[in-house]
Amino acid sequence: MKKSVIRVIKEKLQREFVLEKPTNLSFGHYATPIAFSLAKELKKSPIAIAEEICTQFDTGEIFQEVTPIKGYINFKLSEQFLDQYATWAIQNETLFGKDEQSETILLEYVSANPTGPLHIGHARGAVIGDALSRIGSHLGYKITTEYYVNDAGNQVDLLGLSIYLAGREHILRVYVEWPEEFYRGEYIVDLAHVAKAELGNAIFEDEANIKTLSVWGKDKMLELIKSNLADVGIEFEQFVSEKSLYDKWDESFAKLQKNDKTYEDGGKIWIRSTELGDEKDRVVVREDGRPTYLAGDIIYHDNKFQRNYDKYINIWGADHHGYITRVKAAINFLGYDEQKLEVLLAQMVSLLKGGEPYKMSKRAGNFILMSDVVSEVGSDALRFVFLSKKSDTHLEFDVDVFKQEDSNNPIFYINYAHARINQIFAKAEKSLSDVQNVKLENLSEDAQNLLFSALLLPEVLEDAFHSRQVQKVTEYLKNLAASLHKFYNENRVVGSVDESKLLKLFAVVGLSLRVGLKLIGIDAKDKM
């Protein structure tokens, strides 16, 4: 819809312009402030320029009115244009909001250490990444989703040690002196019992088996992580093992050296990350010759950029904020364009239950499991609430709110709007095919506004993806549902003279609710 409007306006103006939506739709559906930017060039007031420009437009197929208001040029769409678009949309649901783009994107998210179950902090990044992937793919971008498995380093060794000690204490029943650092939580004991069943008691009788338990435990945790993600409808196209990339370190390190971006000091090898804004240079090789954690990310991003995508998006936890500069510096030092990497940060989540802090999981130690919250409120509510605010803002919510069957629960309220539309069709004893060709004309202003709002979904999706702010979709769906409920409560539909028109109007609203929910991973309810 918006693209059609832009095309027509551009043909008349023959120059670039900004198209906005007025807060008050009685002024028009769209507006442009171009007269203000032309005032200096034309040496006229914006009001006079706007009045002159308006005379260039004909009313008819697309515009009902083109009017100047205080220097703005306002465009009110014709009923004929809105009706044609509405008819096309309900006849082509799978194409509604679709587009074609040539840009290829590698989207990496979650990438939680495979040393424990997913907690709600991981869940937020997971849901944001999945929604971005769904929306972007719908808009035509060629998106590949990837999970980077951090299966190298001390954390995996520590997992093996924790399982080993738990097995000795809980299965062999011998005294264990626990180190200061180990993985806590009942899931470690559970893993020990599974290891006993699969590997036998002997696995806990020799410290030499810790390495075996590390690999075994990592694989079990990765299976659990995949299962947790599948429970909320998230699947990755590919998993990349950090460990498998380490044999490429010499190749990546050679690129850094060739570009003179490394130096030795104190027996360590450093990269000159301060050259690109880092607060200090970073160590990539320790005194004993082992690559650091940062080196692992350098190898991984070298591998990523060799795959030659147009853009790379990483979704990281907010605690990785300080890490962005050094990784981008390393990408530059490898000889790539670091501006192709975009990092989104997912802030922490605070969970309440009945106004009180949500109980931590005994199974996982001192954090809240994603699977516990899904069991409590369901996948749909978890998805919706994690997409309800910008990813880089702190999120707090009460799980009890998402059990309520009223307007306080946004996902219930939206689903109720969709189910209500189906109920109205059933009450009228009509189907979509009965009304899809009815002309939407001579509608009330409220009905026109509802129709326009329902047809805005494609540009909301585009804006949400380009700005990486998926909360714009959830906000749109809440507002559209509220508008539907308000209109229905104030207007008679079934049995009215405009019954068929209003049913078609409601069908368009239902379409946008259904498609919008699907693109954030939720199936709209037909009955409540």
Side-chain angles (χ1 to χ4, degrees), residues 21-92:
K21 284 195 292 293
T23 305
N24 187 345
L25 286 181
S26 65
F27 292 157
H29 296 111
Y30 294 103
T32 178
I34 191 172
F36 292 92
S37 59
L38 291 175
K40 187 175 181 180
E41 176 187 334
L42 300 179
K43 297 180 180 178
K44 293 181 181 179
S45 73
I47 293 176
I49 295 170
E51 289 174 349
E52 288 179 14
I53 289 177
C54 285
T55 62
Q56 300 177 32
F57 288 90
D58 301 319
T59 56
E61 185 178 346
I62 290 189
F63 301 125
Q64 178 179 320
E65 294 177 358
V66 181
T67 54
I69 300 179
K70 297 181 179 179
Y72 283 84
I73 302 166
N74 292 264
F75 303 90
K76 187 168 187 178
L77 300 177
S78 71
E79 286 188 324
Q80 178 187 353
F81 175 71
L82 290 171
D83 176 55
Q84 287 174 346
Y85 187 38
T87 302
W88 176 87
I90 57 180
Q91 291 176 347
N92 297 275

